[in-house]
Amino acid sequence: MKQRIIGITGGIATGKTTVSDYLHHTYGLPILDADLYARQALAGDRLAKLRDRYGKLIFDDQGNLERRKLGAIVFDSDIERQWLEQLIHPYVQECLISEANRLSPSTVVMVIPLLFEAKMESLVTETWAITCDPQQQLQRLMNRNHLSESEALQRIASQMSQSEKIELADVVIVNSDNTEELFFQVDNALLNSRSGIFLKMM
């Protein structure tokens, strides 16, 4: 039996975690989080490369990585963001593949914010894009990450647009109303995708 791997993506602060948490708690599906592996990637040789490239710009006096300062650099520069992604993406992909193989043939959920940008579609059997109203996305991001409007807009602009993700995804789930409506869409997507019918739910 072919393993079913659901790849969840979407813009920053659109509700990917809400959807993956629901799939885990309601259906017992294991969640593989690319962001978690990306954080783990910044250790050992990769951390040393960060130190060589940025030095005191992102490390405090005790030698600890200040992730917010790193974020400010990479969200402000395409070159720096691409350099960081090339550093960590191979590790992230290796972790996702390894964990999926370990859990096979059970269905798993991979939460990969940069699924399309990093060209990781081959890791999954179906892609779900979580989307919401752009103004909601902006406000959620500002509140969640304690960012100014300009900082939040900069982070949103650094990613593939929601409309592009919608075009590429097998399933689109809109997170602009209440959680009851959101979870209703998730339930339907899970059921219909099992039958091999991919829905764009708009």
Side-chain angles (χ1 to χ4, degrees):
M1 182 177 72
K2 183 178 181 181
Q3 185 180 26
R4 182 184 184 188
I5 304 177
I6 300 168
I8 291 182
T9 191
I12 189 170
T14 53
K16 298 180 296 295
T17 299
T18 301
V19 170
S20 62
D21 284 350
Y22 177 72
L23 288 168
H24 177 65
H25 294 300
T26 304
Y27 295 98
L29 299 181
I31 308 299
L32 308 183
D33 187 343
D35 278 350
L36 175 61
Y37 298 134
R39 290 180 71 87
Q40 295 173 356
L42 297 180
D45 291 344
R46 286 178 292 274
L47 189 64
K49 289 181 180 179
L50 275 184
R51 196 183 304 277
D52 290 342
R53 191 172 183 88
Y54 302 118
K56 291 184 177 180
L57 289 175
I58 62 170
F59 288 90
D60 64 20
D61 292 339
Q62 286 72 46
N64 299 311
L65 173 63
E66 297 188 86
R67 292 177 185 272
R68 185 171 182 128
K69 291 183 178 179
L70 175 61
I73 291 173
V74 300
F75 284 114
D76 189 47
S77 167
D78 288 343
I79 292 174
E80 298 306 319
R81 187 175 67 255
Q82 289 166 9
W83 179 86
L84 182 64
E85 289 172 355
Q86 289 170 2
L87 180 68
I88 66 177
H89 280 177
Y91 174 85
V92 171
Q93 183 162 321
E94 181 181 318
C95 289
L96 290 168
I97 293 171
S98 175
E99 280 300 292
N101 287 339
R102 184 180 66 82
L103 293 164
S104 185
S106 300
T107 295
V108 299
V109 176
M110 292 185 179
V111 182
I112 311 175
L114 302 181
L115 188 150
F116 297 125
E117 295 93 323
K119 303 190 184 307
M120 292 189 185
E121 300 99 311
S122 62
L123 303 186
V124 304
T125 57
E126 60 200 77
T127 56
W128 294 13
I130 315 304
T131 185
C132 70
D133 177 81
Q135 192 58 41
Q136 285 181 313
Q137 180 188 24
L138 176 62
Q139 197 60 52
R140 288 171 183 169
L141 180 56
M142 290 171 62
N143 294 341
R144 188 190 73 185
N145 289 32
H146 309 293
L147 300 174
S148 67
E149 182 174 342
S150 61
E151 288 174 323
L153 286 170
Q154 183 184 50
R155 297 200 176 196
I156 292 170
S158 73
Q159 296 185 337
M160 179 183 288
S161 69
Q162 291 198 61
S163 60
E164 289 176 285
K165 290 180 185 284
I166 287 170
E167 284 299 314
L168 293 170
D170 298 313
V171 175
V172 177
I173 295 176
V174 181
N175 182 25
S176 293
D177 296 314
N178 54 56
T179 54
E180 182 179 354
E181 171 61 25
L182 172 65
F183 296 156
F184 175 76
Q185 293 178 72
V186 174
D187 292 337
N188 279 338
L190 193 63
L191 175 64
N192 284 291
S193 293
R194 273 196 194 125
S195 304
I197 304 170
F198 296 143
L199 302 180
K200 291 222 172 179
M201 309 184 71
M202 299 298 294

